[in-house]
Amino acid sequence: MAHIRRISVHVDEPEPGHFYWVLMEEVDDASQWNELESADEAYDLWLDALQGGMKRLIGYALDERVGPREDGDDEEGAPVGIPIK
């Protein structure tokens, strides 16, 4: 099974009181991250923006047991360390 994707969520505030979630993914070089996507509209509260970003991040996981995986993963295979039932 391929490795889990390293995706982070953070909140940006380009203008006071306007919060946007941003999803970033680590590239081959661990010191570099690429933006995957961000909120189209601002949130009034930081916490609402964070929760919106987390909801979107969860959407990247096709299977909640193993999280988001790199392309070409065998979704039918057993995750590492988790026995097949």
Side-chain angles (χ1 to χ4, degrees):
M1 173 178 281
H3 292 94
I4 194 166
R5 293 172 68 183
R6 293 184 175 161
I7 302 172
S8 70
V9 59
H10 70 269
V11 175
D12 191 19
E13 185 185 21
E15 298 177 34
H18 292 86
F19 302 98
Y20 295 83
W21 56 261
V22 181
L23 295 182
M24 304 285 289
E25 183 169 24
E26 183 182 58
V27 295
D28 293 333
D29 178 350
S31 67
Q32 294 186 5
W33 294 74
N34 287 336
E35 183 175 317
L36 289 175
E37 60 179 311
S38 61
D40 291 328
E41 297 184 21
Y43 291 79
D44 294 329
L45 300 174
W46 173 88
L47 184 58
D48 289 343
L50 179 64
Q51 289 173 333
M54 292 297 297
K55 183 177 180 181
R56 187 65 189 116
L57 173 58
I58 291 168
Y60 277 80
L62 300 178
D63 182 338
E64 64 187 26
R65 296 172 301 148
V66 299
R69 298 288 166 163
E70 296 173 359
D71 289 338
D73 294 342
D74 179 7
E75 295 175 20
E76 299 300 318
V80 175
I82 298 177
I84 300 175
K85 293 184 179 184

